[in-house]
Amino acid sequence: MRVTPTSILLLLTTTALLSHCRSIDPQVYEPPQKPKMEAILAPNEKLRSSFLLAKGKVNGLESLDVDKFGNVFGGDKDGNILKVSTSGEITILNNTGGRPLGVQFDSDGNLIIADAYKGLLRLTISNELQTIVSEYEGKPFRFADDLDIGRDGKIYFSDASIYSQSEYLFDLLEAKPHGSVFVYDPKTKVTSLLLDGLFFANGIALSKNEDFLLINETYRYRITKLWLKGPKKGVREDFISNLPGFPDNITRTPNGDFWLALFTIRNDRMDSLHPSPFLKKVIANLPKVFWPKPEPYGFAVLLNEQGEILQTLQDPGGLSLREVTSVIQKGNKLYIGSLYHDRIGIYDLPTSQGESKK
């Protein structure tokens, strides 16, 4: 092999990086060949017809909920809990001091919040912020991410990783199952572990009959089903795998189907790095400007209870909507949130799609 100044510099740089290497332990991962973007996955521009609410006025409303008046609620990157009116007027209700992610109203009108740094919080109807639970068995949650609330008031929520929200890409590089899902019972005030060993446990959603829970494993491009009732109680199964992108949040529709938000489409460079722990360790210690970048892309997927894809709404290039992290259906409208973008998308569904099946 010919030794050149460039190769010597590369060797010295790599050696220096590894001698000061961040203590992550990347694993070999062989991603499945990504599905072709054809048939029901064929690119379309449907999301570009969305109305853009509060464009330029918000910053990273990762998850959303909507009240009966059409006001939108969510948390931004600065920790603010916001109310956005139908005309786009912004009201700051409180600040968590962390990074609010998943949000959902409970039956009493309180806004329950999964905050990446603070755990599970409650914003009361008088806008008082309360901590529900911030640890399990003496260990603080590292990355409370998303939640869903059962009819009995139990709060199901995910703790995505051992890495904090500001370091979540290390979880991608390490490719180890650090995520968990818990349930909090407000009657007993007891938190129970439902499932661990998940690859970045992100969005979660209960089924219409609340007999199973869906959990997005973002860095395995799949959704896992955990049975909560019946003869399969406690059994974990694949719901859908080898998705065309990174699954973020998931919400149930009035019909019992599910809207899945894909943060972006698959990254060929990242997939090619996964089989090499050495290269991933080098990448982890480079400035983030050199890390694989998500392609700007808007993507929402409608799934039925069998895990079959019924419909996709897309925005190639992310011209109107990108980095989609939540899609929630209210009537015949979809409200679309993003981890980084400066707007809320509102997409009109056909009237029949907004009706509940009898």
Side-chain angles (χ1 to χ4, degrees):
M1 180 182 75
R2 184 185 173 202
V3 178
T4 66
T6 300
S7 62
I8 293 173
L9 178 61
L10 179 61
L11 178 61
L12 290 173
T13 301
T14 302
T15 303
L17 282 169
L18 291 180
S19 66
H20 298 87
C21 196
R22 181 181 176 87
S23 58
I24 72 167
D25 182 26
Q27 301 297 295
V28 173
Y29 169 45
E30 299 282 354
Q33 184 175 357
K34 67 182 182 182
K36 294 181 179 179
M37 296 288 281
E38 59 186 20
I40 201 164
L41 294 178
N44 62 66
E45 299 177 355
K46 293 180 180 179
L47 280 182
R48 292 183 187 170
S49 67
S50 301
F51 173 70
L52 303 180
L53 180 66
K55 182 180 178 182
K57 296 181 180 180
V58 297
N59 195 341
L61 297 187
E62 194 265 357
S63 176
L64 308 171
D65 206 349
V66 185
D67 69 12
K68 62 182 179 181
F69 303 108
N71 299 305
V72 182
F73 296 75
D76 70 12
K77 74 175 188 66
D78 297 317
N80 296 311
I81 304 299
L82 303 181
K83 173 184 175 181
V84 184
S85 73
T86 55
S87 63
E89 181 182 353
I90 309 294
T91 303
I92 298 176
L93 304 177
N94 211 315
N95 187 290
T96 68
R99 183 31 165 133
L101 297 171
V103 297
Q104 188 175 139
F105 284 109
D106 67 13
S107 59
D108 294 322
N110 304 303
L111 188 67
I112 308 303
I113 303 158
D115 186 287
Y117 297 98
K118 303 293 184 176
L120 206 58
L121 309 176
R122 178 190 297 111
L123 185 72
T124 69
I125 56 176
S126 59
N127 295 328
E128 178 188 355
L129 198 62
Q130 303 171 343
T131 298
I132 298 174
V133 61
S134 60
E135 61 180 40
Y136 176 71
E137 294 186 342
K139 294 182 179 179
F141 299 119
R142 294 302 304 273
F143 196 150
D145 196 315
D146 193 31
L147 66 104
D148 200 3
I149 304 174
R151 287 187 288 270
D152 59 2
K154 290 180 180 178
I155 305 170
Y156 298 80
F157 64 101
S158 57
D159 190 30
S161 175
I162 62 169
Y163 294 104
S164 67
Q165 196 267 341
S166 62
E167 301 177 315
Y168 68 90
L169 289 174
F170 290 119
D171 198 296
L172 168 64
L173 291 169
E174 198 164 52
K176 294 174 76 174
H178 296 308
S180 303
V181 171
F182 298 86
V183 60
Y184 172 80
D185 187 337
K187 296 176 182 176
T188 63
K189 302 189 185 316
V190 171
T191 301
S192 303
L193 175 66
L194 285 178
L195 187 63
D196 57 11
L198 296 160
F199 291 88
F200 202 83
N202 201 326
I204 62 174
L206 289 161
S207 66
K208 189 173 184 179
N209 293 331
E210 300 189 0
D211 54 346
F212 65 81
L213 181 71
L214 297 183
I215 308 148
N216 289 349
E217 292 189 84
T218 301
Y219 298 147
R220 279 296 192 266
Y221 315 122
R222 72 186 180 202
I223 304 175
T224 289
K225 174 195 285 188
L226 176 65
W227 287 98
L228 301 175
K229 299 176 183 177
K232 289 186 175 181
K233 181 178 178 179
V235 173
R236 169 182 176 172
E237 299 176 345
D238 279 349
F239 182 70
I240 185 172
S241 57
N242 199 23
L243 288 160
F246 294 82
D248 205 285
N249 286 341
I250 185 168
T251 59
R252 191 179 69 251
T253 74
N255 292 343
D257 296 327
F258 300 93
W259 279 108
L260 171 68
L262 295 181
F263 180 78
T264 186
I265 54 176
R266 297 267 286 271
N267 186 305
D268 291 337
R269 183 182 170 203
M270 192 65 243
D271 279 358
S272 67
L273 285 171
H274 268 309
S276 173
F278 173 80
L279 289 177
K280 290 195 289 185
K281 198 156 191 173
V282 171
I283 290 288
N285 286 272
L286 291 174
K288 290 184 180 179
V289 68
F290 297 109
W291 288 31
K293 298 292 188 297
E295 181 176 337
Y297 206 105
F299 212 145
V301 178
L302 183 64
L303 302 162
N304 64 17
E305 279 202 328
Q306 289 71 49
E308 299 165 332
I309 297 176
L310 304 178
Q311 181 183 4
T312 70
L313 306 174
Q314 301 181 41
D315 181 1
L319 300 186
S320 293
L321 295 168
R322 65 175 185 265
E323 297 149 351
V324 173
T325 47
S326 64
V327 182
I328 179 170
Q329 182 174 337
K330 296 291 183 179
N332 68 332
K333 294 183 182 298
L334 296 181
Y335 294 82
I336 300 165
S338 168
L339 182 63
Y340 297 122
H341 218 184
D342 66 350
R343 62 202 63 182
I344 299 165
I346 302 179
Y347 178 84
D348 288 326
L349 294 166
T351 302
S352 60
Q353 203 168 335
E355 297 172 351
S356 296
K357 297 176 182 175
K358 302 297 183 183

